Amino acid sequence: EFLIPLSEHWMLKPRQDLGVGKDFEGGDWVLILATQVQGLYTRPWKNLVFTFGTGVKYSFSDSSTGLYDDDFARLDVGFDTLIPFGLDVGKRRVDFSVYVIGRHYFRELVFDQVLQDPLVIEQEGEIGITIGSTPLPRIWKFNVPRFLIGYRFAEDFRGLRIKFGLPF
């Protein structure tokens, strides 16, 4: 992942993921690949910072027997508002953000379940908060990213997303 500045407020963020997976019940090794391109528009206003993010992602998996072969594409649109706490720790301004993200899968995601009907997701939403500081704190030589907790939901799906970093 890297950032390409397009203007004072616009940033292009391409990303490439590559990995392998293994079914340890005697299954295949699986190649997993994802390509994503995001556009981020950031605009400060008074003591707030607004960020609009949009992106498209394509991901696929490939196994030697074809049992685990699958793919999906999705469109993301999100909005984030960074708000200062009014608290400084050293030279760092502590802040939090509130965000919302909508996701549309171009082909439904279908998750088989043993005792229930399959879980099908075509539209998904997320709302959440992040907490961090500006500039980012450092431990040894590494920046400590923002902490995020989000509530993800779809028609028959509810879940929490916890991660370090920005929402999009």
Side-chain angles (χ1 to χ4, degrees):
E1 174 180 286
F2 54 96
L3 300 174
I4 303 170
L6 300 176
S7 71
E8 181 183 353
H9 300 286
W10 277 103
M11 188 77 64
L12 188 66
K13 188 173 151 181
R15 176 183 178 149
Q16 184 65 54
D17 296 329
L18 175 64
V20 292
K22 171 77 169 122
D23 176 356
F24 291 109
E25 296 291 323
D28 299 338
W29 283 94
V30 181
L31 172 68
I32 304 165
L33 184 74
T35 301
Q36 184 171 2
V37 177
Q38 293 177 295
L40 299 172
Y41 178 80
T42 302
R43 187 69 155 192
W45 181 71
K46 296 188 179 183
N47 64 345
L48 305 175
V49 178
F50 297 103
T51 301
F52 171 74
T54 186
V56 64
K57 180 177 187 174
Y58 175 73
S59 179
F60 77 90
S61 59
D62 181 58
S63 62
S64 59
T65 62
L67 181 62
Y68 300 103
D69 294 1
D70 204 359
D71 70 335
F72 75 86
R74 80 171 187 218
L75 176 67
D76 300 342
V77 177
F79 187 75
D80 180 64
T81 304
L82 189 70
I83 305 162
F85 258 133
L87 170 72
D88 290 344
V89 177
K91 295 183 180 182
R92 290 175 170 71
R93 183 188 72 189
V94 178
D95 50 35
F96 71 99
S97 76
V98 177
Y99 70 89
V100 61
I101 301 173
R103 296 180 181 93
H104 171 76
Y105 295 90
F106 292 100
R107 182 177 54 84
E108 294 176 332
L109 298 180
V110 179
F111 299 95
D112 291 327
Q113 300 185 85
V114 176
L115 300 176
Q116 298 174 342
D117 291 335
L119 178 64
V120 178
I121 300 174
E122 185 176 3
Q123 307 284 336
E124 179 185 6
E126 181 175 348
I127 57 173
I129 60 170
T130 70
I131 187 165
S133 69
T134 306
L136 293 174
R138 295 177 66 88
I139 295 179
W140 193 46
K141 295 181 180 183
F142 301 101
N143 287 335
V144 178
R146 302 183 70 73
F147 177 75
L148 173 147
I149 185 163
Y151 175 69
R152 293 177 86 158
F153 54 93
E155 185 175 330
D156 295 319
F157 168 78
R158 308 286 179 271
L160 289 178
R161 177 169 75 139
I162 298 172
K163 75 173 237 183
F164 289 100
L166 297 171
F168 39 79

